[in-house]
Amino acid sequence: MAKLEQPIDAAQPLPVIQVVGLSKCFGSHPVLTDINLAIMPSETVCLLGPSGSGKSTLLRCMNWLERPSSGEVWLHGTQMGYQAGRKRLASEAELAKMRTRIGMVFQQFNLWSHLTVLQNVIEAPIHVQKRPKAEVVAEAEHLLAKVGLHNKLQAYPSQLSGGQKQRVAIARALAMKSDVILLDEPTSSLDPELVGEVLAVIQDLAQAGMTLVIATHEMKFAEEVASRVIFLDQGRIVESSDPKTFFAQPETARARQFLERYIHVGAI
Amino acid sequence: MSLRFDLIWEQAPAFLSGLWNTVWICAIGISLSLILGILLLLPLFSHHKVVRLPTKLLVEAARAIPFLMLAYLVYYGLPSLGLTLDSWSTAILTIVIYNAAYVADILRSAWVNLPKGQTEAARACGFTGVQLLRRIVLPQILIAAAPILGNQAIQVIRDSSFLAIITVPELTFTAKAVQADSFVPFESFITAALLYWVLCLLIEFGVQRLEWVRNFYGKA
Amino acid sequence: MDNLPYFLGGAAITVFVSLIAWVLGLPLSLIIAIARIQRIPIVDLVFSLYVSFVRSLPSPLLVMLLYFGLPVVGLDLNPLVAGIIAMTINTSAFNSEIWRSAILNFPSDQLDAARSVGMSPNQSFWRIAFPQIWQANISNFINEATFLVKSSPAVGIIGIDDLTRRAGKIAASNYEPLPTIVLGMMLYVVVLFAVSLASRQLERYFHDRYQLV
């Protein structure tokens, strides 16, 4: 089933990530059905949709943290999960190498509890990418300053607020210098007053031209930051359009219901 | 090199009697220590510091010494106080004292982890002291601690092997005697080891069967 | 009290044997746990039988099996080596269960993060899971060390002069066995209280620092 060529449109530049006919089932329960999408360089794509619509699973399938049941994920012309140019499944080590090109930020931050803030950020560049330590540390300090945590380098995750943890997690993803960063509901487990500081950091990244795919429930943020919005419902892509159109006049009834509920909830 | 398990087979009656001695010594020791351990809960949960603290210290200290040390205390020490016991009584007394400390500690922590509402409801109904312990607390903590008590029973059986050193004719002592007699050390000790294994697997099996009781009560 | 230096010497031997067995048993038990978790076909079966067997095997019997039994199959060990190997085997079975449940219960989101930055399974185990599991379970491992100290009198059977054996020898030849044995017991209490105090301090230190899972 694995094709050797990425299906590309000659008129378009090469997508950073291209998902082709991807489906994912947990047991007999389909979570994603026939997903096709392409993420272009410097795009900020927001995945919207009700809880359980498959947003997280889609992100996790993109870097093969979850192995898709069928379909393909292409990363700059190489196929995720398969040996280069061949139909054989990649080994865990080869897969690991591919994953270094995709950063990921988790809903629960997933900072490593036994490492300090700085160690969390430099861990993978040094030990996975084998880059020189001095260079990595200097870069990490710069990144942490950029997310406003220059005075927390030696702190442990347990000493940070949720918002600070998430900013460290973003710095950790950035330190990999990957082609794209996937953010899985980055503000959903934060206290309301801490959401802003994290969204501001993400907005900076978007403006700096970083390619981002964000699963989120923050409608206002999506409207402001997204270059494109993808609406998922029951494991299918229902709409894909620019944010202005989507929020002003959604094409489908399901998207309209979804937005009404959100605006309604937001009003309370 | 050839293993002579045929010589072991000839000594089967000796092994069986050693096994039997281990079983009954441990059975009586464990039963009595269960009772003593439960009784120790009263001073351990006493409201008076002068009662509670020394008991706690004794229990902690007993759990910090090796079984064999206590056996020596009973075996060599008690006669100097004018109390001379035969080897059976020495064995059982040692197990009872030693294991009661562990039982008391296991039940104490089960009691501490018992939802507070249980004892409060009982006190509200007028239960106090021994009655509270016997009717409300004990049934629940015994069920909750059953797997740990099962492991402790296995520990008693393993410790009882030390009794061979003060010449109690239990299973390890038998294995030692047989190897000295027929000079088949490997075969003799491995046979005893397998018998201990079977014994402990039976206990584990029994504890697993108890699980349904625990599940029935929602794992108090 | 005249016997105090003699007893202290015995206590040193007890601590020495237990400590070496503890240190050797930790990596051995980790290997057993990993082999069982990886479900390496025959190895898994062999180790699960090993753990079950050793967990019910009395230490005195194990010591004698190694010292008196193995020469028959061509392995002649000196008493100290036999004693230390027996204690190591003993603790490896119990420790492997600690490792196993800690590894199986290690939160998967910590490993997700490791995979997402491209760590191989080996790297994510050794760099992310292992340090946290070690620190979070330090008190369990030290608790196993106290069990080791308590089963170490087994090595006295093959003539290693540990604290219990020395206490027993003096008690058997002494007109006042009771104070002799009480003194020996107190030394054990001191050793084990010191160990559990250290364990609590370490646990608190790690806990405060990382709030490990």
Side-chain angles (χ1 to χ4, degrees), chain A residues 60 63-66 92-93 96-97 99-100 102-104 106 108-115 123-124 127-128 130 156 158-159 172 176, chain C residues 106-121 123 126-132 135 205 207-213:
Chain A
R60 292 170 66 87
N63 65 357
W64 270 55
L65 279 185
E66 300 287 353
E92 271 298 319
K97 206 161 184 186
R99 288 200 188 105
T100 60
I102 308 178
M104 183 141 187
F106 299 86
Q108 298 291 342
F109 333 123
N110 299 7
L111 293 184
W112 297 309
S113 349
H114 64 305
L115 301 178
E123 175 75 14
H127 295 286
V128 177
K130 314 277 182 208
Y156 283 92
S158 64
Q159 300 162 327
R172 177 171 73 180
M176 301 293 296
Chain C
F106 188 73
S108 63
D109 54 8
Q110 290 274 318
L111 295 177
D112 275 352
R115 288 161 75 203
S116 82
V117 296
M119 287 195 195
S120 66
Q123 272 180 321
W126 289 110
R127 302 203 57 86
I128 304 300
F130 175 77
Q132 297 192 43
Q135 288 160 7
Y205 170 75
H207 186 83
D208 288 354
R209 192 151 150 217
Y210 312 121
Q211 297 197 342
L212 291 171
V213 273

Side-chain angles (χ1 to χ4, degrees), chain A residues 105-257:
Chain A
V105 173
F106 299 86
Q107 181 178 347
Q108 298 291 342
F109 333 123
N110 299 7
L111 293 184
W112 297 309
S113 349
H114 64 305
L115 301 178
T116 63
V117 165
L118 182 66
Q119 287 169 333
N120 260 280
V121 177
I122 63 176
E123 175 75 14
I126 292 179
H127 295 286
V128 177
Q129 296 179 322
K130 314 277 182 208
R131 282 154 53 191
K133 185 170 179 185
E135 173 197 314
V136 172
V137 170
E139 257 178 42
E141 284 171 350
H142 176 70
L143 282 173
L144 285 165
K146 229 167 68 176
V147 298
L149 290 170
H150 53 280
N151 54 350
K152 293 283 184 192
L153 299 184
Q154 301 308 325
Y156 283 92
S158 64
Q159 300 162 327
L160 302 179
S161 73
Q164 291 171 328
K165 282 184 203 172
Q166 197 57 299
R167 285 182 280 150
V168 176
I170 292 172
R172 177 171 73 180
L174 287 172
M176 301 293 296
K177 297 188 170 172
S178 41
D179 306 341
V180 51
I181 295 184
L182 315 175
L183 298 100
D184 184 6
E185 304 198 16
T187 58
S188 293
S189 41
L190 295 179
D191 293 335
E193 70 272 18
L194 300 177
V195 169
E197 63 189 58
V198 172
L199 291 183
V201 168
I202 299 174
Q203 191 156 12
D204 285 348
L205 293 183
Q207 273 157 10
M210 185 77 215
T211 311
L212 303 175
V213 185
I214 311 167
T216 184
H217 286 294
E218 300 287 335
M219 295 304 145
K220 210 168 150 300
F221 170 77
E223 193 169 2
E224 281 169 22
V225 176
S227 50
R228 187 151 56 102
V229 164
I230 289 175
F231 176 67
L232 279 168
D233 189 41
Q234 295 180 347
R236 292 171 189 275
I237 293 183
V238 179
E239 258 181 70
S240 168
S241 53
D242 72 282
K244 276 211 182 69
T245 324
F246 180 78
F247 285 103
Q249 41 204 195
E251 284 166 31
T252 59
R254 273 191 282 182
R256 220 166 309 154
Q257 275 171 3

Side-chain angles (χ1 to χ4, degrees), chain B residues 10-187:
Chain B
E10 283 170 20
Q11 299 284 352
F15 274 103
L16 283 182
S17 115
L19 178 64
W20 170 242
N21 287 338
T22 290
V23 168
W24 75 258
I25 290 173
C26 289
I28 293 182
I30 289 170
S31 312
L32 293 178
S33 62
L34 207 55
I35 297 171
L36 182 56
I38 290 168
L39 290 178
L40 278 171
L41 287 176
L42 288 171
L44 274 179
F45 281 89
S46 163
H47 293 294
H48 302 288
K49 263 191 182 167
V50 278
V51 179
R52 192 173 68 234
L53 292 184
T55 317
K56 202 165 176 196
L57 193 70
L58 267 178
V59 168
E60 288 284 311
R63 291 174 58 244
I65 55 172
F67 181 83
L68 182 58
M69 255 338 238
L70 188 68
Y72 279 168
L73 184 76
V74 175
Y75 187 69
Y76 292 120
L78 288 191
S80 74
L81 295 180
L83 186 62
T84 306
L85 300 172
D86 62 18
S87 59
W88 303 114
S89 316
T90 304
I92 289 172
L93 184 60
T94 308
I95 292 178
V96 171
I97 298 174
Y98 194 69
N99 197 43
Y102 284 87
V103 170
D105 187 67
I106 290 167
L107 293 179
R108 186 195 58 81
S109 76
W111 192 347
V112 170
N113 289 321
L114 193 68
K116 253 200 149 69
Q118 294 285 329
T119 47
E120 277 169 4
R123 283 187 207 283
C125 294
F127 284 108
T128 51
V130 181
Q131 234 187 353
L132 172 77
L133 177 66
R134 192 169 76 86
R135 307 207 65 88
I136 308 297
V137 174
L138 206 50
Q140 299 197 44
I141 59 178
L142 281 179
I143 290 171
I148 308 175
L149 289 172
N151 276 342
Q152 185 54 33
I154 291 175
Q155 190 57 42
V156 170
I157 291 174
R158 301 175 78 234
D159 278 337
S160 72
S161 162
F162 279 109
L163 294 169
I165 296 171
I166 55 168
T167 67
V168 177
E170 44 69 76
L171 184 52
T172 303
F173 184 86
T174 308
K176 227 177 132 195
V178 168
Q179 82 94 10
D181 237 30
S182 334
F183 200 68
V184 281
F186 182 79
E187 298 88 329

